[in-house]
Structures are given as C-alpha cells and as structure tokens.
Amino acid sequence: AQTVTQSQPEMSVQEAETVTLSCTYDTSENNYYLFWYKQPPSRQMILVIRQEAYKQQNATENRFSVNFQKAAKSFSLKISDSQLGDTAMYFCAFMKPAISGGSNYKLTFGKGTLLTVNP
Amino acid sequence: SAVISQKPSRDICQRGTSLTIQCQVDSQVTMMFWYRQQPGQSLTLIATANQGSEATYESGFVIDKFPISRPNLTFSTLTVSNMSPEDSSIYLCSVAPSTPGQGRTYEQYFGPGTRLTVT
C-alpha cells in the first residue's frame, strides 16, 4: 500500500517570502501521479498542482512549483511571494492509476501541513 | 474544472438516525468518489460511486453503513446510516472528469463538503 508522509504539521511564513512544504511517499509503482491540494478555512479542497511521475520536468503553476525527486520519493511544494490568501492546510496526495476503474484511482493523502502567512 | 455542489452543507443529527448527502456536478463525469475527513484529520476514501452498479468500498467501510447511489453521470448520494458520534466528520464528494486508460493526467475535483455533527 502507498503511504504519504508530511513531516511538518505546521509552518509559518512572512508575506512576500518563499516557503517550502515537504512530502515523501512510499510506493513500488513506477507510474503514478502526485498532487498538492489546498484546504482553506472554508474547507473547500482546491487542486494546486500536479506532477506525472514519468515527467522529469518539475510542474509549475504561477507562484507554486514542485521539486520532484523520483529516486528519493520526494515531492515538495514551493510557494513564492506568499500571500495572506495562501493560509490554509496543504495536503500532498498520491494516486496510482489503473486501466480499470475502482479504488485503484483513489487518492492517498498525507496528514497535511497547516501553513500560516503572516502580514 | 467541474462545478460540484453538495447538499446539505452542514447538519446536526441525533444518534441512530440517517442522513443522505447529495452531490451534483454540472457536467458528466466518469468517476465520482466519497471521502471522509474526521476532525483535524486528513481525507480517507470511503468508496467509488459507479454509475449503474454497486459502489466499490474501501477497507473498513461497508454498504450497510454507507449506502451509495449513482443513478447517472452527474449525481450521487451517500447515506450515513444509524449514526453515532464517531460519524461526526466532513464528507466530501470528488469527481474525475478524465477518462481512465487514455494515458492522460487524472485529476480529482472536490465539492465543498458536508459537515456532519452527531449528538
């Protein structure tokens, strides 16, 4: 079974600075997807960024980028120019796709990192 | 991405009763999922809602406790039966618009969640 570990329960950063959230995972699969989700106090889960394991290039979405190290099974999220609206719980998630449907498409989540952006 | 709504947004229920949560999507989607997020915890997949057939449940979740319906490609319901205080959680539905097996990146989008409190 896959496991996802987020070792930082809480982090804080000053507005406009850069912060990196760490995530490691354990799998024997070669093909899989990784995601970062954001859950603000409104509790809406928002997809921030995704990475396909077969791609060597790190994914980037505006101020959000990842450092994907497949051999090390590491998938960290970097947030540049932090904004107050970035304050949220951030979840790292793993998914192993399969040809057929069912639970092979399930997302396995880490326990989350609570990020607070201070003014 | 798909627009997902859930009803109710929150409810307070007495133990022993049942609550049905609805999930509506604004477009046809291939796969729909139900997750549970216990207080202060991460998300755990309850089941995959299959259109026209029985749901696929994860280990630890059973149909008698969490019956699921999916009559079409835009709608699903989750019932929490014979509730106890341990069922107090946020219940979220998610959808995956991409078609499985096409080699494309697979993303899940979440509804706003239903906050259930059982007294």
Side-chain angles (χ1 to χ4, degrees):
Chain A
Q2 288 76 29
T3 58
V4 178
T5 302
Q6 294 179 248
S7 59
Q8 306 149 314
E10 294 186 35
M11 294 190 71
S12 62
V13 64
Q14 292 298 122
E15 196 175 5
E17 294 187 346
T18 296
V19 64
T20 299
L21 309 183
S22 66
C23 172
T24 58
Y25 57 93
D26 185 24
T27 184
S28 58
E29 302 293 329
N30 186 54
N31 184 29
Y32 49 87
Y33 301 130
L34 295 163
F35 305 87
W36 279 98
Y37 281 88
K38 164 185 176 181
Q39 188 178 41
S42 66
R43 79 171 180 260
Q44 174 81 54
M45 290 286 286
I46 301 167
L47 177 61
V48 175
I49 198 166
R50 58 167 164 80
Q51 175 80 41
E52 297 92 328
Y54 62 84
K55 289 187 177 179
Q56 293 186 339
Q57 186 173 7
N58 289 324
T60 299
E61 291 286 343
N62 300 314
R63 297 185 293 107
F64 299 88
S65 61
V66 299
N67 183 5
F68 174 49
Q69 302 289 329
K70 189 173 184 179
K73 297 179 182 176
S74 172
F75 183 61
S76 61
L77 174 69
K78 185 171 82 171
I79 305 174
S80 304
D81 185 25
S82 296
Q83 301 176 359
L84 297 178
D86 295 333
T87 293
M89 183 71 83
Y90 286 81
F91 291 98
C92 178
F94 172 100
M95 188 186 76
K96 178 182 76 71
I99 297 174
S100 59
S103 63
N104 284 332
Y105 284 99
K106 75 174 183 180
L107 285 168
T108 300
F109 287 87
K111 291 185 180 297
T113 296
L114 179 59
L115 175 67
T116 301
V117 180
N118 299 309
Chain B
S1 62
V3 177
I4 307 161
S5 60
Q6 283 186 234
K7 290 182 181 178
S9 60
R10 60 176 62 224
D11 207 341
I12 301 173
C13 302
Q14 291 192 341
R15 70 175 66 206
T17 63
S18 298
L19 176 71
T20 296
I21 302 168
Q22 299 179 3
C23 178
Q24 179 74 54
V25 192
D26 68 342
S27 58
Q28 293 186 346
V29 294
T30 304
M31 306 189 76
M32 298 181 75
F33 306 86
W34 287 98
Y35 288 82
R36 181 175 73 181
Q37 186 177 23
Q38 294 178 303
Q41 301 297 316
S42 185
L43 282 76
T44 301
L45 180 66
I46 297 171
T48 302
N50 301 310
Q51 195 265 330
S53 64
E54 202 168 273
T56 304
Y57 289 84
E58 294 299 301
S59 175
F61 298 96
V62 295
I63 188 171
D64 290 346
K65 176 67 175 177
F66 297 101
I68 288 171
S69 76
R70 190 175 173 193
N72 55 52
L73 294 177
T74 64
F75 185 79
S76 177
T77 66
L78 168 74
T79 299
V80 185
S81 304
N82 188 25
M83 287 184 285
S84 67
E86 292 71 34
D87 293 321
S88 297
S89 295
I90 297 172
Y91 292 86
L92 301 103
C93 74
S94 74
V95 303
S98 299
T99 302
Q102 291 187 345
R104 292 163 54 192
T105 303
Y106 197 96
E107 301 176 350
Q108 287 187 30
Y109 299 96
F110 285 81
T114 296
R115 183 182 294 277
L116 170 62
T117 302
V118 183
T119 60

